[in-house]
Amino acid sequence: MVDDADLPVLAKLLRAEREAAQLTREEAAQIVKVSKTLIYAWERQGRTPSAETLEAFLNGLEVPQWRRPKYAALTQPLLNQLNWDMSPAVTPDDQLGLENNLDPACYHDDAFDLYAANQPLLARFPGLVAPAPGAEVRPNLLEWVVRDPAAKKVIRNWEERATVMANAFLVVAPGRIPERRIQQIIASCEQAPEWPEISRIRATDEHVLNQRISLWDPETQRYEDRIITAYTFKYPPRPYNVLVLQATAPHN
């Protein structure tokens, strides 16, 4: 049997999905219509399921749609490795675009490590700092949301947003972010008493599709609804993603 630390990401995720569904291997095998031995081989020996059996597993265990692209990437390793040679530095054009955005916005990677943040975002998230050039460890948006007391004050729907972020981190980061960095972030978040609960809940598609955030506006002294817009650069790709907290009404 392979040690847990040496198991591939796919094996760990398949086991986590089964356990989240509160199923034994035998019960999962009955649902997927495969042998219990095969489920064991996926989870403990790192065997990769065929496309057909993986689809049956995801459907049978009712895995939310938002989590499924991760499985496609892990079972198509050649496509998953076709990456450009990406510089960790934010390009001048990207920096200018961020600074010219009137909405709170930032660039972060799949672990929520910040590459850059504009002033509207830093003003809304007191205590969060922009990354210093050349810093070995970047400020982490998830850590701020989970651990900083200010987060619960400025985000009225804090529990919902923190749960979705924790889910996104635990599903997307493995295999794309160094394991050492993932464990550092988890260790930090574990210092918050709410972490066991928000990291345990499996976010549904409905949770993820609800992109509203109720955010405190220090100028108007009231909460306002904003829409979370997240996307990635395609050609060429970047090591960071875009996050914008978009106003629901046009700026004056």
Side-chain angles (χ1 to χ4, degrees):
M1 184 174 67
V2 180
D3 185 82
D4 279 1
D6 297 326
L7 284 169
V9 172
L10 179 59
K12 296 177 183 177
L13 287 178
L14 290 172
R15 180 181 178 183
E17 297 288 9
R18 176 181 61 77
E19 292 178 344
Q22 298 183 332
L23 296 172
T24 65
R25 290 194 183 102
E26 184 173 1
E27 290 168 338
Q30 290 174 354
I31 292 172
V32 184
K33 295 182 171 50
V34 297
S35 69
K36 182 175 69 173
T37 303
L38 186 57
I39 299 285
Y40 179 89
W42 295 348
E43 293 182 1
R44 305 303 302 165
Q45 297 174 343
R47 181 171 172 180
T48 301
S50 68
E52 293 78 10
T53 52
L54 177 60
E55 183 178 10
F57 178 89
L58 298 177
N59 290 338
L61 273 64
E62 299 181 351
V63 174
Q65 293 293 327
W66 75 267
R67 300 166 77 100
R68 300 191 184 199
K70 179 71 174 185
Y71 290 98
L74 290 172
T75 54
Q76 301 177 60
L78 178 60
L79 295 179
N80 201 34
Q81 291 169 9
L82 293 178
N83 294 323
W84 295 51
D85 183 16
M86 297 182 290
S87 168
V90 174
T91 69
D93 286 345
D94 288 351
Q95 185 66 45
L96 181 62
L98 188 67
E99 293 171 357
N100 287 340
N101 198 323
L102 299 178
D103 291 312
C106 66
Y107 298 142
H108 65 75
D109 65 14
D110 292 329
F112 291 105
D113 276 340
L114 284 179
Y115 278 67
N118 66 7
Q119 279 306 123
L121 184 129
L122 296 175
R124 297 299 184 92
F125 292 172
L128 185 68
V129 297
E136 289 188 12
V137 179
R138 302 175 184 274
N140 187 272
L141 186 57
L142 176 61
E143 287 184 53
W144 181 86
V145 168
V146 172
R147 294 192 56 193
D148 197 309
K152 292 181 182 178
K153 297 178 181 179
V154 301
I155 303 173
R156 184 158 55 179
N157 56 338
W158 176 87
E159 185 174 359
E160 178 185 19
R161 297 317 329 162
T163 298
V164 171
M165 285 185 70
N167 267 243
F169 165 73
L170 293 170
V171 171
V172 178
R176 300 184 65 87
I177 300 297
E179 182 63 21
R180 182 170 177 269
R181 180 56 182 149
I182 291 174
Q183 293 306 317
Q184 287 175 341
I185 295 168
I186 291 176
S188 176
C189 289
E190 284 177 338
Q191 297 182 48
E194 300 86 356
W195 178 254
E197 179 66 13
I198 64 175
S199 62
R200 179 190 62 81
I201 297 172
R202 186 165 71 163
T204 65
D205 290 328
E206 185 178 359
H207 288 139
V208 174
L209 289 172
N210 178 13
Q211 291 297 299
R212 295 273 176 165
I213 183 170
S214 183
L215 197 61
W216 180 256
D217 186 340
E219 293 187 4
T220 64
Q221 293 289 294
R222 65 187 184 193
Y223 288 100
E224 61 176 8
D225 282 345
R226 286 182 171 266
I227 300 171
I228 302 171
T229 303
Y231 57 92
T232 60
F233 292 98
K234 192 168 185 180
Y235 297 118
R238 317 285 204 274
Y240 44 85
N241 309 312
V242 184
L243 177 69
V244 181
L245 306 181
Q246 188 175 353
T248 55
H251 292 286
N252 295 327

